Amino acid sequence: MNNMDGKQQRTQEALDEQITDLVSEIRQSQEIIAEHENQIHEAKERLTQLLSERGSNWSDDSGYARLVSEGTRIAYDTSALDELIIHEPLRYGWLKDYRTEQKISSRIQVK
């Protein structure tokens, strides 16, 4: 019985060591990602200013940088529309009853 307990303890210790290593790796990666996200945010703020001064979008062979103005995103509840078409086809024109609107703030896009 003692031999089994010792083996289980060594197995548990090995598992704990692997878990500790992976948790450490994940935490380090999360720190790196956070640093890069901050750098990207700061670069986008500077780019926003430059594109505003330029007065137009910018592009090269790899993609673009552009300012996207504030707007509204409209979406429909597709399940409700399916039911409407099936059960009340004459009301299909009343889509506004099934429309949701969401304000979208201005942002910069880089591709």
Side-chain angles (χ1 to χ4, degrees), residues 41-56:
H41 178 74
E42 291 171 3
K44 283 186 172 184
E45 284 182 349
R46 292 193 310 267
L47 183 57
T48 297
Q49 293 172 348
L50 293 172
L51 287 174
S52 292
E53 288 178 26
R54 186 173 198 263
S56 63

Side-chain angles (χ1 to χ4, degrees), residues 7-81:
K7 186 176 181 181
Q8 286 178 338
Q9 185 176 353
R10 284 192 300 277
T11 301
Q12 185 69 33
E13 288 172 357
L15 289 172
D16 286 349
E17 185 177 333
Q18 291 178 33
I19 291 169
T20 299
D21 291 345
L22 287 172
V23 168
S24 177
E25 182 181 331
I26 290 168
R27 287 176 178 159
Q28 289 172 356
S29 296
Q30 288 173 330
E31 287 177 16
I32 291 168
I33 290 169
E35 289 174 19
H36 285 274
E37 285 175 343
N38 288 335
Q39 291 171 352
I40 290 169
H41 178 74
E42 291 171 3
K44 283 186 172 184
E45 284 182 349
R46 292 193 310 267
L47 183 57
T48 297
Q49 293 172 348
L50 293 172
L51 287 174
S52 292
E53 288 178 26
R54 186 173 198 263
S56 63
N57 298 331
W58 176 91
S59 65
D60 64 7
D61 293 338
S62 299
Y64 57 83
R66 65 182 177 194
L67 293 173
V68 179
S69 59
E70 185 177 303
T72 302
R73 178 178 292 146
I74 296 175
Y76 292 91
D77 179 346
T78 55
S79 298
L81 287 176

